[in-house]
Amino acid sequence: MNRHNFRTRSPFSVWFSAVAIIIICILTPRVWKKYEQKVMLTSQLSDAKEKWQAHLNAVHEIQKKQQEFNKKRTRQNSPLEMGGFVMTGNAWSKDIALLSLSSNTQEKKIHLELATKTLDSLLNFIIRLEKQGAKVSLETHSKEMQLPAPWKIKATLTMEYGHGA
């Protein structure tokens, strides 16, 4: 007959196995939760990268359009064409009110309709424009009773600029 030898395990190995099983049971849900969190964060990161790339592409498109607009605007409103407006702004004072303005940048002329407090302030405005190199023609001026106080003089003038006027 066969003779079987049975060995008993030491109590230490049984306790060790039991503790290992308990630790595994405790740590498995935590590890699984961390894994799910990692998957979720990875998904959020990839979504954020896609949005960032879309924003980056939009920024490049906007910059390209802005550069095209700036080139077009530079051609349309060169400093020489805007010179009349700059001259008018430099000559302005608080005793002059603008009623209307029309410009012809092709001919480099600006037509102004103004209201002033006094005739002297109108003449000083014209002198300031002429000191900047503009040729100013006073078309009309009159004392107006319909204007609200303190405005007393209504004037119309044409200013030529930018061609040695």
Side-chain angles (χ1 to χ4, degrees), residues 94-135:
K94 63 182 178 181
D95 54 352
I96 297 173
L98 179 65
L99 300 176
S100 72
L101 178 141
S102 62
S103 68
N104 184 341
T105 55
Q106 301 291 332
E107 295 179 12
K108 298 182 180 177
K109 287 184 180 182
I110 295 179
H111 182 78
L112 298 163
E113 190 174 330
L114 308 168
T116 63
K117 294 180 180 180
T118 63
L119 186 58
D120 286 339
S121 59
L122 174 64
L123 296 175
N124 288 335
F125 176 68
I126 293 171
I127 290 169
R128 288 191 299 269
L129 285 172
E130 289 176 340
K131 282 183 180 178
Q132 295 181 63
K135 180 181 175 186

Side-chain angles (χ1 to χ4, degrees), residues 7 11-12 18 24 40 49 61 78-79 90 119 125 137 146 164:
R7 283 199 243 163
F12 177 72
I24 288 172
M40 181 187 68
K49 282 182 180 180
E61 286 297 317
S78 68
N90 289 339
L119 186 58
F125 176 68
S137 302
Q146 294 96 356

Side-chain angles (χ1 to χ4, degrees), residues 76-95:
Q76 288 177 348
N77 297 324
S78 68
L80 291 176
E81 292 172 341
M82 298 302 291
F85 296 113
V86 172
M87 286 178 169
T88 305
N90 289 339
W92 214 263
S93 66
K94 63 182 178 181
D95 54 352

Side-chain angles (χ1 to χ4, degrees), residues 6-117:
F6 291 103
R7 283 199 243 163
T8 61
R9 302 222 178 211
S10 70
F12 177 72
S13 64
V14 173
W15 282 106
F16 179 75
S17 298
V19 169
I21 290 171
I22 291 171
I23 290 174
I24 288 172
C25 289
I26 291 173
L27 292 180
T28 300
R30 290 183 184 171
V31 170
W32 186 255
K33 187 176 181 180
K34 292 291 182 182
Y35 174 74
E36 287 177 339
Q37 188 178 20
K38 178 189 169 209
V39 169
M40 181 187 68
L41 290 174
T42 303
S43 172
Q44 288 177 350
L45 179 63
S46 66
D47 291 344
K49 282 182 180 180
E50 288 176 14
K51 284 182 182 178
W52 178 78
Q53 189 62 43
H55 286 292
L56 192 60
N57 292 340
V59 166
H60 289 304
E61 286 297 317
I62 290 170
Q63 286 175 339
K64 200 183 308 180
K65 287 179 182 177
Q66 185 67 43
Q67 288 172 349
E68 291 171 9
F69 176 77
N70 288 342
K71 286 178 186 176
K72 186 177 177 183
R73 193 175 129 241
T74 302
R75 281 179 276 159
Q76 288 177 348
N77 297 324
S78 68
L80 291 176
E81 292 172 341
M82 298 302 291
F85 296 113
V86 172
M87 286 178 169
T88 305
N90 289 339
W92 214 263
S93 66
K94 63 182 178 181
D95 54 352
I96 297 173
L98 179 65
L99 300 176
S100 72
L101 178 141
S102 62
S103 68
N104 184 341
T105 55
Q106 301 291 332
E107 295 179 12
K108 298 182 180 177
K109 287 184 180 182
I110 295 179
H111 182 78
L112 298 163
E113 190 174 330
L114 308 168
T116 63
K117 294 180 180 180

